[in-house]
């Protein structure tokens, strides 16, 4: 029995990954990364900027939708989050659909800004809650954005972590390969191996993802949840029971 | 000397001004979607539209696609956001009934920025090695002419036939208040013609003060304005009202299959799905 929700574990783990950043940006359909960014901001020892694209309150861009990309193009964003209908073992991501392009078997919304942001932002955290052989695949059906690029391609960074509902993987860009970094409480390495469609490195002893500390949970629920309610009301109500956005 | 007075037109006249087959540019759900005008367009009946979404679309695109009015979409995504996938879009792509020109957000912005400047193309970083690029024969990769060994993508300028959006207000001169939704200015600068719906027309001119001038899109970019209170509903009108997730959820549920969509569409066109109607209906 735990006194935290799975979403809260993920928010805390993602927030840890943002330590030291000066500007974190969060794009479409990302309530957990959005909450993590605001939590990291709350805990940062120095000033940290957070841009939540879908928020009025936490998006201070004044030059329209393009400013996020212009800002990233200049190197003013340290970390961004991306997800995928499919993510493969070389960190290629697919947000377009499964099956043969263009008609596909199952069409998903589309690539959003991934094909640019993956190159422009030094640190990209891949986040996908569903951890299954259909989401974590050997090879994506469509490359919305490649995880790695050949030498001579302009690229500031790329994927660093993959966080799912079961585990955390670190990505080694030089070897083009994920390594299992930690297992969430109660999850076994065997389960992760069964549910992962790509090959990955696995140390003999895999640590457990740290459970959220009570003081941090309190901060998340009292201070961050009402902020999240402003831009992801459905999520905030479901996870935190919060219906009133922060003033 | 007095300028010829600005006068708003009707929503129906505005819908009439969008020709079949137009390259129609529209903003995202947070930017002021002209939903009332879209309904007027559907009432009029239209076809062959090519949608250019800056950079994605939600209910507006899904509705238009569901009716078969759209031949082609260029967008970074079509989605209902927190309310899930865009059901008629997915069905149309899977059924081979819709040409989807998959793009990425900054490319959609950059191609219009080229049009704004009147230059033939714009370079953009990223994209190399993606299947987006692999499926866009209209895009080119060149070697950076200023620094060899640096491949970069070029996007041709896109000049939409019509830009259509909703904004909070116009003034007595026909200037449009867009606030910080500057992508609306990009749309208007790039498009041959710009049609706007607003919540209201107010007295005076936004250019009377620096504060309001900073929020204005000058009338010189705007062909026509129609007044449509709650005209972005159920999408948001920035600064005035938020999106209506329940109403978008109702659509998402109804549009899961073709029959449900047809029924929804009929009710929408009959005026039985509208902000004022929903507000008085019991939960």
């Amino acid at each position: 029995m735990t006194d935290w929700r799975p979403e809260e574990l993920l928010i805390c783990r993602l927030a840890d990954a943002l330590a030291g950043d000066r500007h974190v940006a969060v794009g479409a359909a990302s309530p957990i990364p959005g909450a993590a960014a605001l939590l990291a901001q709350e805990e940062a020892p120095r000033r940290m900027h957070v841009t939540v694209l879908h928020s009025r309150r936490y998006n201070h861009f004044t030059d329209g939708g393009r400013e996020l990309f212009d800002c990233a193009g200049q190197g003013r964003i340290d970390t961004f989050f991306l997800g995928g209908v499919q993510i493969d073992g070389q960190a290629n991501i697919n947000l377009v659909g499964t099956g043969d392009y263009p008609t596909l078997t199952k069409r998903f919304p589309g690539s959003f800004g991934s094909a640019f942001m993956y190159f422009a932002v030094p640190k990209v955290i891949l986040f996908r809650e569903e951890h299954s052989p259909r989401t974590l695949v050997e090879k994506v059906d469509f490359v919305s954005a490649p995880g790695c690029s050949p030498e001579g391609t302009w690229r500031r960074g790329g994927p660093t972590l993959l966080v799912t509902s079961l585990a955390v993987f670190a990505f080694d860009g030089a070897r083009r390969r994920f390594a299992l970094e930690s297992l969430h409480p109660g999850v076994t390495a065997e389960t992760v191996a069964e549910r992962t469609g790509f090959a990955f490195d696995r140390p003999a002893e895999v640590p457990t993802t740290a459970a959220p500390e009570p003081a941090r949970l309190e901060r998340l629920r009292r201070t961050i949840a009402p902020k999240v309610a402003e831009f992801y009301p459905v999520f905030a109500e479901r996870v935190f029971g919060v219906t009133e956005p922060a003033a | 000397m007095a300028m010829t007075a600005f006068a708003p037109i009707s929503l129906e006249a505005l819908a009439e001004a969008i020709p079949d087959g137009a390259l129609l540019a529209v903003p995202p759900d947070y930017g002021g979607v002209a939903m009332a005008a879209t309904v007027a367009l559907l009432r009029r009946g239209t076809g062959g539209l090519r949608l250019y979404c800056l950079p994605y679309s939600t209910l507006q695109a899904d509705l238009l696609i569901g009716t078969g009015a759209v031949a082609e979409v260029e967008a970074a995504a079509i989605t209902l956001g927190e309310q899930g996938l865009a059901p008629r879009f997915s069905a149309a792509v899977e059924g081979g009934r819709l040409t989807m020109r998959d793009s990425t957000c900054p490319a959609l912005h950059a191609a219009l920025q080229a049009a704004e400047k009147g230059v033939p193309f714009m370079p953009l970083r990223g994209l190399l090695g993606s299947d987006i690029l692999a499926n866009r024969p209209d895009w080119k990769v060149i070697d950076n002419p200023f620094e060899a060994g640096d491949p970069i993508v070029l996007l041709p300028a896109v000049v939409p036939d019509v830009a259509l959006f909703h904004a909070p207000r116009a003034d007595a001169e026909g200037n449009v208040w867009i606030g910080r939704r500057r992508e609306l200015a990009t749309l208007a600068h790039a498009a041959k013609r710009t049609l706007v719906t607003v919540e209201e027309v107010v007295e005076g001119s936004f250019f009377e003060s620096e504060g309001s001038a900073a929020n204005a899109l000058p009338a010189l970019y705007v062909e026509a304005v129609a007044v449509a209170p709650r005209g972005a509903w159920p999408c948001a009108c920035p600064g005035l009202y938020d999106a209506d997730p329940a109403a978008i959820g109702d659509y998402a549920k109804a549009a899961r299959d073709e029959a449900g969509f047809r029924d929804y569409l009929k009710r929408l066109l009959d005026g039985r799905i509208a902000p004022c109607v929903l507000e008085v209906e019991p939960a």
Side-chain angles (χ1 to χ4, degrees):
Chain A
M1 191 63 199
T2 59
D3 57 355
W4 42 266
R5 296 183 59 109
E7 292 88 350
E8 292 173 325
L9 177 83
L10 296 172
I11 290 167
C12 290
R13 179 61 189 86
L14 291 175
D16 288 343
L18 305 176
D21 286 352
R22 287 175 180 276
H23 185 189
V24 176
V26 181
S30 311
I32 289 174
L38 290 171
L39 179 61
Q41 182 185 44
E42 184 73 20
E43 296 172 340
R46 64 174 185 181
R47 194 166 181 214
M48 176 177 165
H49 298 282
V50 169
T51 297
V52 179
L53 205 58
H54 277 206
S55 162
R56 281 199 316 275
R57 179 67 188 79
Y58 306 101
N59 177 350
H60 292 175
F61 289 145
T62 54
D63 202 18
R66 74 187 188 207
E67 191 175 350
L68 171 76
F69 306 104
D70 292 349
C71 199
Q74 297 151 21
R76 294 180 190 270
I77 295 175
D78 299 312
T79 301
F80 191 68
F81 294 90
L82 289 172
V85 170
Q86 296 176 325
I87 297 170
D88 73 20
Q90 297 200 9
N92 297 308
I93 61 172
N94 170 12
L95 294 122
V96 160
T98 53
D100 290 332
Y101 192 81
T103 52
L104 304 160
T105 313
K106 179 98 184 116
R107 172 74 208 202
F108 283 84
S111 304
F112 288 97
S114 64
F116 176 82
M117 297 300 270
Y118 220 5
F119 292 78
V121 176
K123 200 167 87 187
V124 175
I125 298 172
L126 298 175
F127 176 66
R128 175 76 211 233
E129 277 183 277
E130 182 182 334
H131 190 137
S132 73
R134 71 170 196 164
T135 55
L136 304 185
V137 299
E138 192 183 344
K139 181 85 188 74
V140 293
D141 292 348
F142 183 95
V143 179
S144 286
C148 305
S149 300
E151 200 150 325
T153 301
W154 182 90
R155 185 160 194 158
R156 240 186 225 112
T160 55
L161 285 181
L162 165 62
V163 179
T164 74
S165 60
L166 298 183
V168 179
F169 295 90
F171 189 70
D172 182 339
R175 296 181 55 230
R176 301 190 170 203
R177 200 172 158 90
F178 284 105
L180 188 56
E181 184 178 290
S182 71
L183 296 161
H184 299 342
V187 178
T188 65
E190 287 66 38
T191 303
V192 167
E194 275 166 28
R195 301 227 203 138
T196 307
F198 56 72
F200 57 89
D201 293 339
R202 178 175 151 183
E205 289 289 318
V206 187
T208 302
T209 310
E213 291 160 15
R216 201 175 200 196
L217 279 174
E218 181 75 3
R219 193 177 304 126
L220 177 58
R221 292 168 184 170
R222 280 188 183 251
T223 310
I224 307 305
K227 294 184 175 184
V228 175
E230 186 257 335
F231 52 93
Y232 285 117
V234 179
F235 173 84
E237 188 173 355
R238 178 172 64 79
V239 174
F240 302 113
V242 170
T243 51
E244 279 301 302
Chain B
M1 201 166 72
M3 286 166 61
T4 303
F6 154 73
I9 62 171
S10 71
L11 205 51
E12 291 68 32
L14 186 119
E16 280 299 330
I18 302 170
D20 291 352
L23 180 62
L24 178 65
V26 294
D29 57 346
Y30 55 78
V33 180
M35 285 304 301
T38 303
V39 173
L41 184 62
L42 289 173
R43 282 206 184 102
R44 191 207 85 191
T46 183
L49 294 175
R50 293 169 295 139
L51 276 188
Y52 188 94
C53 308
L54 185 68
Y56 68 86
S57 181
T58 60
L59 186 58
Q60 181 183 37
D62 205 60
L63 256 179
L64 286 166
I65 291 165
T67 65
V70 179
E72 190 178 292
V73 174
E74 178 157 2
I78 306 293
T79 174
L80 296 183
E82 264 196 310
Q83 280 71 44
L85 299 177
R88 294 298 93 204
F89 162 71
S90 291
V93 171
E94 292 157 15
R97 298 187 299 277
L98 178 73
T99 301
M100 176 64 179
R101 290 153 67 88
D102 270 291
S103 186
T104 186
C105 303
L108 291 147
H109 288 283
L112 292 186
Q113 284 178 270
E116 277 187 294
K117 294 174 201 300
V119 296
F121 58 83
M122 190 69 78
L124 185 70
R125 287 299 192 187
L127 281 164
L128 298 166
S130 72
D131 285 334
I132 298 174
L133 178 63
N135 285 279
R136 293 299 301 254
D138 53 329
W139 294 355
K140 292 193 188 312
V141 180
I142 63 154
D143 198 24
N144 176 355
F146 298 98
E147 198 177 317
D150 177 23
I152 187 164
V153 178
L154 299 186
L155 313 162
V158 170
V159 179
D161 295 320
V162 178
L164 173 68
F165 57 82
H166 183 78
R169 59 193 72 88
D171 68 14
E173 296 173 348
N175 303 303
V176 175
W177 182 286
I178 59 170
R180 61 168 146 159
R181 294 295 14 136
R182 299 298 305 173
E183 56 274 310
L184 301 180
T186 302
L187 285 171
H189 295 166
K192 290 177 200 157
R193 303 166 56 217
T194 294
L195 306 174
V196 180
T197 58
V198 294
E199 295 287 318
E200 57 172 351
V201 175
V202 298
E203 296 285 296
S205 167
F206 299 143
F207 289 94
E208 282 162 8
S209 85
E210 284 301 292
S212 58
N215 291 293
L217 172 69
L220 77 97
Y221 296 104
V222 181
E223 177 174 301
V225 173
V227 178
R230 304 281 287 178
W233 180 90
C235 297
C237 183
L240 291 183
Y241 48 88
D242 289 331
D244 183 341
I248 298 168
D250 288 344
Y251 172 80
K253 216 177 294 169
R256 268 183 210 151
D257 58 55
E258 181 67 24
F261 174 78
R262 288 287 151 193
D263 175 64
Y264 183 96
L265 183 67
K266 185 165 187 329
R267 287 185 288 134
L268 181 69
L269 299 188
D270 288 351
R272 282 181 287 154
I273 298 173
C276 50
V277 175
L278 274 191
E279 275 163 15
V280 295
E281 268 180 359

